Amino acid sequence: MAQFRANGLTVRHDPEKPSAQYVVINTCGFIGDAQEESIQMILECGKLKAQGKIGKLYVMGCLSQKYKAELEAEIPEVDGWFGKFDWNGIVGLAGGDWRKELENDRVLTTPSHYAFLKIAEGCNRGCAYCAIPIMTGRYRSRSQDDIIAEAKLLASRGVKEIQLIAQDLTYYGTEVAHKPMIADLVKRLSDIPGIEWIRLHYGYPNDFPLDLLDVMRERENVCKYLDLALQHISDPVLKRMHRNITGARTVELLERIRESVPGIHLRTTLMVGFPGETREDYDRLVEFVRQQRFERMGAFAYCEVDGTYSALHYEDNVDDATKQARLSGLMRVQQNISCELNQRKIGQTFKTIIDRIEGDWYIGRTEFDSPDVDPEILIPLSTPGLEPGRFCNARIVDAQEFDLYAEIS
C-alpha cells in the first residue's frame, strides 16, 4: 500500500465496499474457513468488476500461491494472480515502480495507535496438518536492524502498541545464529521511545526460549501475554501431528511460564478431530483445558489441506458431526472458565488503551487482550477525557463471558 501511495495512487483499505481503479485481494490458505472466505471475496469483487464498479482485479497471498493454476482456470474475471511475496509485480501492473528505499514504509489498516509487525516468514517445524511451509517455504528471519528501523518508523507516526508476529515467533534467529534470538530482539524493541506495549503472538512449545520469560517479567512495556499454540495434549495425537513434544513436557513448560512471569495471560489454540483422535484423546484434551484454565483459548476442527503430510498419509476418519460436537463441547468448557476468570477481575484496575467508539461505549483493551480475538473493556461514552489511542486506568465494575465493563478510576 505504501508503494502504491509513493507512486501517486490514492490507497484505502475497504473490504466492505470495494470500489477503485485497482482492487488487490490478499488471501489466506491456512484452513478451510479462511480459504472459503478468500474465495467469496474474490467472487464478490468479480461481480463488481462485471458491473463496472471496479477496474482491474488482482489476487495475491497464500491461497493464490498454492492454487494459482486452478484459480486462474475457474475465475477468469481476475486480471492477475500473484504469490505471497510478489508485491513489486502488482505495483508494476498498476503502473508504478518498486522503490527499495521504501520497503519498510507502511500504510496502517489498523487504528493508528497499534500495528502488527512481522519478524519472519516461513516455518521449519513440519507439523503434519499445516500447509504454511508449502506456501511460504523455510524459516527466514528478518534482520534485527531492519525490524528495529520499522518499529521506530511506526513509533514516530504515533504507534504505541506493537503486535509482534510470525508463523513461529520463538524460532526467530535460529537459522542464522543457531539459537533463538527472540529475547534479544524484544529487549531492543522495548527500548524504543514511544512503544508502550509489545505483545507476542504465535509461539511454539518445543524448544521454547526460556530467556524470553526473563524479558517479559523485567520489561514493563512487554505485555504479560503470550500466544502459544499447543494444538493438543494427548501423546498419540501429538505424535501423529509431528509436534515433537509430549503432553508432560507441555505441562512442565506451562508451569515454568506461569512461575517465571506472575500474572501472565496465556492464549492457546487447540484442534479437535485430527485423524485418529479417539474419544479418550478428546477427553484428555478437555480435562487439560479444565486443569490449565487458559485465560484465552481458541479451537478449530481439523480440516484436511492438500499437500500436507496428514492429507497424504492419514485417513480423515473423524466424521464432521463428531468434530463439531467435540469443538462445541471444548468451547463450552472454556466459556465457563473465561466467565469465572473475568468475574475475578471485578474491582481491579487495569491500564487500558481505547481502540474505538461503538454505540454508547468506548471500547478498550488491557495488556492481556489482543485486538479482535480477546475480551474488550466497555466504558460509558459519557466518560470525559477519553478518545481512541489514549491510555487510561479502568476499574472493572461488571463482567460477562467475553467482555468487561469499567469506569475510569
Side-chain angles (χ1 to χ4, degrees):
M1 291 175 69
Q3 294 283 345
F4 282 137
R5 187 176 62 181
N7 279 278
L9 297 174
T10 300
V11 184
R12 69 178 184 272
H13 176 250
D14 186 2
E16 302 302 324
K17 296 180 180 179
S19 175
Q21 182 180 0
Y22 304 100
V23 171
V24 180
I25 300 174
N26 189 26
T27 61
C28 179
F30 180 45
I31 59 175
D33 288 346
Q35 293 181 10
E36 184 176 341
E37 184 178 350
S38 297
I39 293 294
Q40 283 302 118
M41 178 59 77
I42 297 170
L43 294 175
E44 288 174 15
C45 287
K47 291 178 182 177
L48 292 175
K49 182 186 174 188
Q51 296 167 3
K53 295 181 179 180
I54 66 174
K56 297 290 186 178
L57 176 59
Y58 301 135
V59 176
M60 64 175 295
C62 290
L63 190 71
S64 181
Q65 176 101 7
K66 191 169 189 296
Y67 298 108
K68 180 181 177 183
E70 297 93 324
L71 291 169
E72 279 182 327
E74 294 179 11
I75 313 178
E77 297 89 343
V78 174
D79 295 289
W81 299 88
F82 298 87
K84 182 176 172 64
F85 306 107
D86 192 10
W87 308 331
N88 55 348
I90 294 176
V91 173
L93 281 183
D97 296 315
W98 184 261
R99 297 171 58 178
K100 187 171 178 58
E101 71 274 14
L102 298 178
E103 285 186 349
N104 285 333
D105 201 358
R106 295 281 296 274
V107 174
L108 293 182
T109 60
T110 57
S112 61
H113 56 275
Y114 72 83
F116 291 87
L117 179 55
K118 183 173 281 190
I119 65 171
E121 282 286 0
C123 186
N124 289 2
R125 300 292 186 176
C127 299
Y129 51 82
C130 184
I132 285 176
I134 300 172
M135 294 181 285
T136 64
R138 294 185 62 77
Y139 201 95
R140 301 180 304 286
S141 301
R142 292 177 62 187
S143 74
Q144 287 198 29
D145 289 346
D146 194 45
I147 296 167
I148 297 299
E150 184 172 340
K152 287 181 176 178
L153 177 65
L154 291 169
S156 73
R157 295 179 178 176
V159 170
K160 303 173 183 178
E161 177 184 2
I162 295 291
Q163 316 288 342
L164 212 61
I165 59 169
Q167 281 91 10
D168 178 0
L169 195 81
T170 42
Y171 194 84
Y172 174 77
T174 302
E175 87 284 16
V176 178
H178 306 293
K179 65 176 182 178
M181 297 298 294
I182 184 64
D184 185 59
L185 174 64
V186 174
K187 278 183 187 178
R188 292 186 62 187
L189 288 168
S190 70
D191 288 333
I192 297 175
I195 301 298
E196 296 197 39
W197 280 351
I198 300 169
R199 194 185 317 280
L200 309 180
H201 287 278
Y202 317 130
Y204 193 92
N206 188 35
D207 298 325
F208 185 89
L210 297 174
D211 57 344
L212 178 60
L213 302 177
D214 298 329
V215 178
M216 297 181 72
R217 182 182 65 251
E218 296 165 1
R219 299 290 175 121
E220 186 176 344
N221 61 346
V222 179
C223 295
K224 307 302 183 286
Y225 177 104
L226 181 62
D227 191 330
L228 188 69
L230 299 176
Q231 307 302 353
H232 219 282
I233 196 62
S234 169
D235 284 346
V237 177
L238 290 170
K239 185 175 182 180
R240 286 196 297 275
M241 285 181 168
H242 298 172
R243 293 289 288 175
N244 298 310
I245 194 169
T246 64
R249 284 177 51 210
T250 299
V251 171
E252 289 174 6
L253 174 61
L254 295 174
E255 291 174 350
R256 179 71 176 270
I257 291 172
R258 293 197 184 278
E259 289 173 2
S260 299
V261 189
I264 192 171
H265 280 43
L266 292 175
R267 163 169 277 281
T268 194
T269 305
L270 301 173
M271 184 192 300
V272 299
F274 189 76
E277 182 190 57
T278 65
R279 180 70 198 199
E280 182 182 3
D281 294 325
Y282 171 71
D283 289 344
R284 191 174 299 134
L285 181 64
V286 171
E287 184 58 28
F288 170 68
V289 170
R290 288 198 176 104
Q291 292 174 352
Q292 291 298 321
R293 296 177 64 79
F294 293 105
E295 287 81 7
R296 314 281 182 254
M297 192 198 86
F300 61 99
Y302 169 77
C303 176
E304 187 174 272
V305 179
D306 292 345
T308 59
Y309 185 93
S310 59
L312 296 172
H313 298 278
Y314 300 148
E315 179 187 356
D316 187 5
N317 59 357
V318 181
D319 62 81
D320 289 342
T322 300
K323 288 178 183 177
Q324 291 306 313
R326 290 178 181 178
L327 179 61
S328 298
L330 188 65
M331 291 309 299
R332 280 195 299 272
V333 172
Q334 179 61 27
Q335 188 172 353
N336 292 332
I337 293 170
S338 178
C339 186
E340 292 171 11
L341 294 178
N342 275 351
Q343 290 288 330
R344 291 183 182 182
K345 292 182 176 179
I346 295 176
Q348 297 185 52
T349 299
F350 298 95
K351 180 179 179 180
T352 301
I353 185 77
I354 302 299
D355 275 343
R356 66 189 187 279
I357 295 172
E358 195 171 286
D360 295 330
W361 304 95
Y362 288 107
I363 309 297
R365 293 175 291 107
T366 73
E367 70 170 298
F368 308 119
D369 307 307
S370 188
D372 299 326
V373 295
D374 289 332
E376 295 178 320
I377 291 184
L378 284 71
I379 303 171
L381 191 59
S382 57
T383 305
L386 295 185
E387 62 182 25
R390 178 171 293 183
F391 283 97
C392 63
N393 291 316
R395 187 175 70 87
I396 308 302
V397 296
D398 195 9
Q400 295 182 351
E401 292 165 354
F402 298 112
D403 286 316
L404 302 167
Y405 293 83
E407 60 186 23
I408 299 306
S409 61

